[in-house]
Amino acid sequence: LDNPCCGLLAHNYGELSDARELAKKNIEHAEKNGVEPIVGDCSSCVAFLKTYPQLFLKPEDAQWRERAEAFSKRIKDAIEIYGESADKLPAGTAGPETTYHDSCRATHGQGLKNEPRRAAKTAAGASYCEMPGADACCGGAGAFGFVHGELSEELLKKKVGSAASVQAGLILTSSTSCLIQLARGLRKYYPEAKVLHLSEFVAGALDQNHGP
């Protein structure tokens, strides 16, 4: 879909009217493009898209709430699909020790904890390792890192330390803010490792399986 912003940032900063307008545009656009599932690969955006009905709670918004409910039922996080299709993924070959960081908006916002791991474990094979505190916040959380710099850095150091404790060379995750935060933390504290979106990792595994 050639869609506008999901409205999460506007919502987080209290600009609810802007968030509602963006939601309406996305709902209208989706209604014009069939009834198939709508897949997103940033867990923060997806989690917000799934909660669109909460933007229309006033009695006069009843019609929009009904449309938002229909819309939200179509939303799927890419990591949901990978988890559901994990048995169809190729078994991983030898590679760097690979671990998974739970995006807060995936695990707490959507309840997605086992699904991404099924995909990651299959695609990584014997290289997969679970790090301690995988579901703890990395300190990114959108603009949180800018507003609460010291606490954000403390959380980041702890997360990078957890990855280093299992000698991970690759951290997988599913939210844009996590990717940015972890990339910064790894460059600064643990340059031996890198971070990658689970989508990219799964795509790489599929490419290796199909060959040139």
Side-chain angles (χ1 to χ4, degrees), residues 4-17:
C5 173
C6 68
L8 176 59
L9 288 176
H11 180 268
N12 286 350
Y13 284 100
E15 301 294 339
L16 300 186
S17 60

Side-chain angles (χ1 to χ4, degrees), residues 64-182:
W64 273 108
R65 183 165 61 252
E66 183 177 342
R67 294 169 71 178
E69 287 170 352
F71 172 85
S72 65
K73 290 176 182 177
R74 294 172 59 187
I75 303 299
K76 299 277 282 187
D77 196 314
I79 63 176
E80 288 183 80
I81 295 175
Y82 302 146
E84 293 166 359
S85 307
D87 59 337
K88 299 177 182 178
L89 295 176
T93 55
E97 290 296 301
T98 302
T99 193
Y100 188 79
H101 160 68
D102 293 285
S103 156
C104 291
R105 298 287 286 180
T107 188
H108 304 306
Q110 300 181 67
L112 300 176
K113 191 173 181 70
N114 296 324
E115 293 85 348
R117 279 175 173 74
R118 283 198 290 269
K121 288 177 180 179
T122 300
S127 298
Y128 184 84
C129 58
E130 189 73 18
M131 67 175 166
D135 61 352
C137 182
C138 66
F144 179 87
F146 300 103
V147 180
H148 303 284
E150 290 186 9
L151 179 55
S152 174
E153 195 71 13
E154 183 180 331
L155 292 170
L156 178 59
K157 285 181 181 179
K158 188 172 183 179
K159 177 63 64 174
V160 172
S162 294
S165 73
V166 294
Q167 297 182 317
L170 182 63
I171 304 174
L172 304 175
T173 191
S174 65
S175 184
T176 303
S177 59
C178 295
L179 286 163
I180 295 171
Q181 175 81 337
L182 289 172

